[in-house]
Amino acid sequence: MSIRLGYQIPNFTYPGPAAELFDTVVAQAREAEASGFDTVLVMDHLYQLPGVGPTENAMLEAYTTLGALATATSTVQLSTLVTGNTYRNPALLAKTVTTLDVVSKGRAVLGIGAGWFEREHHDYGFEFGTYTERFERLEEALLIITPMLKGEPATLDGKWYTARGAMNNPRVRPHIPVMLGGGGERKTFRLAARFADHMNIICEVDDLPRKVAVLRERCEEIGRDPATLATSYLVMGMVGETEQEVKELAESIPDDRRNRAIVGTAEQVAEQLHERVLGAGIDGITINLIRNGHRPGVVARVGAALKPLVG
């Protein structure tokens, strides 16, 4: 499993009525598939995120969306970036992802992380807990989920979760890949080294060389070959057709996202990603186009510029 070129859809606020919203999502996924992206991803959130838009803006439930996209696409992998572990019972999550894999004929990826958006937990009645508790939960969840994704019964009498020989059928392939998302060097990277097939590193662009080095160390600490843990990086793409549009997009970047955004025309963005992301030792790129990805042709233009970078 590898995500060499992913397209993430984090924004569901488009012109037109809500009844036409999903048509625009499908159009983006199909355009991504046709232009060389190997994976389409959505966020697992219940509200829009600060920095992307107002909390009240539209947000679709992730796995319902991915299941529908499975019937509208044919080759792209489908994943969240990433599932908030705190929102679902882990055995049920394994069943959900496996059902997505059946529906998509073997294209599901489980992206997962500890969860972080406190307001969603508060408003929806999910226990948020402390930072340490959320990572305890994530570790226990992975102890249940990873065997189930291989078709093995899961049993755990844990502090946070219980499974009693939980089975997971039907399945269409021996193993569904697991991707962790985050940037924590002590907790997230250690869990990735133990459990994951893929690590999506979340950090400021300038921190990538150090993050890659530490992730390799975490693998080596447990005797894992770092080359067996693929990596990718999520980029906020501010990609304009003209210099004026590029300038306007740059001005719209929230201050707390500036060090994770790449700005320019498609060709300029590709050049920066080649140097700053792939050059730091990252294997693949996932990009979102928050401001204009819904506009026909934008995803295809970006795909055409980025595909040569990853072969």
Side-chain angles (χ1 to χ4, degrees), residues 22-290:
F22 190 65
D23 294 340
T24 303
V25 176
V26 169
Q28 291 176 76
R30 287 176 170 167
E31 194 170 311
E33 184 173 68
S35 57
F37 288 89
D38 56 53
T39 310
V40 170
L41 311 97
V42 298
M43 298 195 303
D44 184 33
H45 283 289
L46 311 170
Y47 293 158
Q48 184 53 274
L49 301 187
V52 177
T55 305
E56 295 77 13
N57 275 11
M59 180 55 59
L60 298 180
E61 193 281 320
Y63 282 99
T64 309
T65 302
L66 291 172
L69 286 177
T71 68
T73 58
S74 58
T75 62
V76 287
Q77 298 177 115
L78 299 165
S79 182
T80 58
L81 188 57
V82 288
T83 304
N85 176 62
T86 46
Y87 298 143
R88 296 172 185 82
N89 169 280
L92 181 59
L93 176 58
K95 171 64 75 172
T96 301
V97 174
T98 303
T99 299
L100 175 63
D101 205 50
V102 172
V103 172
S104 65
K105 297 181 172 60
R107 293 185 283 131
V109 175
L110 171 61
I112 191 167
W116 63 271
F117 194 0
E118 186 171 5
R119 180 173 173 182
E120 291 177 331
H121 292 75
H122 174 272
D123 288 10
Y124 275 70
F126 295 116
E127 184 177 353
F128 188 60
T130 66
Y131 177 83
T132 297
E133 288 171 344
R134 291 196 300 279
F135 275 92
E136 290 176 350
R137 291 181 187 180
L138 178 58
E139 181 174 2
E140 287 193 8
L142 289 166
L143 288 169
I144 293 171
I145 291 168
T146 50
M148 291 182 69
L149 296 185
K150 298 175 184 177
E152 302 167 3
T155 297
L156 181 72
D157 184 11
K159 177 180 177 180
W160 300 101
Y161 301 118
T162 299
R164 304 179 180 90
M167 296 183 291
N168 191 23
N169 293 307
R171 294 178 307 112
V172 296
R173 53 180 171 160
H175 171 60
I176 296 172
V178 175
M179 171 177 64
L180 259 66
E185 297 174 9
R186 292 185 299 110
K187 295 181 183 292
T188 302
F189 285 7
R190 283 196 169 99
L191 290 176
R194 285 177 61 193
F195 293 105
D197 303 284
H198 190 102
M199 179 71 218
N200 181 264
I201 298 176
I202 299 172
C203 66
E204 296 184 357
V205 180
D206 292 341
D207 289 338
L208 273 174
R210 190 188 81 253
K211 295 290 186 182
V212 169
V214 173
L215 183 61
R216 288 171 177 162
E217 290 175 9
R218 297 294 173 260
C219 289
E220 291 166 352
E221 287 168 358
I222 62 169
R224 178 174 181 175
D225 180 356
T228 66
L229 180 57
T231 57
S232 59
Y233 181 69
L234 175 63
V235 175
M236 176 184 279
M238 293 294 178
V239 185
E241 292 187 66
T242 65
E243 291 300 329
Q244 179 59 34
E245 186 181 11
V246 168
K247 180 181 178 182
E248 292 169 357
L249 288 169
E251 291 171 350
S252 75
I253 303 172
D255 289 341
D256 63 349
R257 303 283 176 121
R258 290 194 176 277
N259 292 321
R260 297 185 186 181
I262 302 291
V263 185
T265 63
E267 293 71 23
Q268 291 168 344
V269 166
E271 183 177 348
Q272 293 177 69
L273 291 175
H274 181 264
E275 178 182 349
R276 301 180 67 193
V277 176
L278 299 179
I282 294 291
D283 301 317
I285 297 162
T286 293
I287 191 167
N288 60 43
L289 302 166
I290 289 171

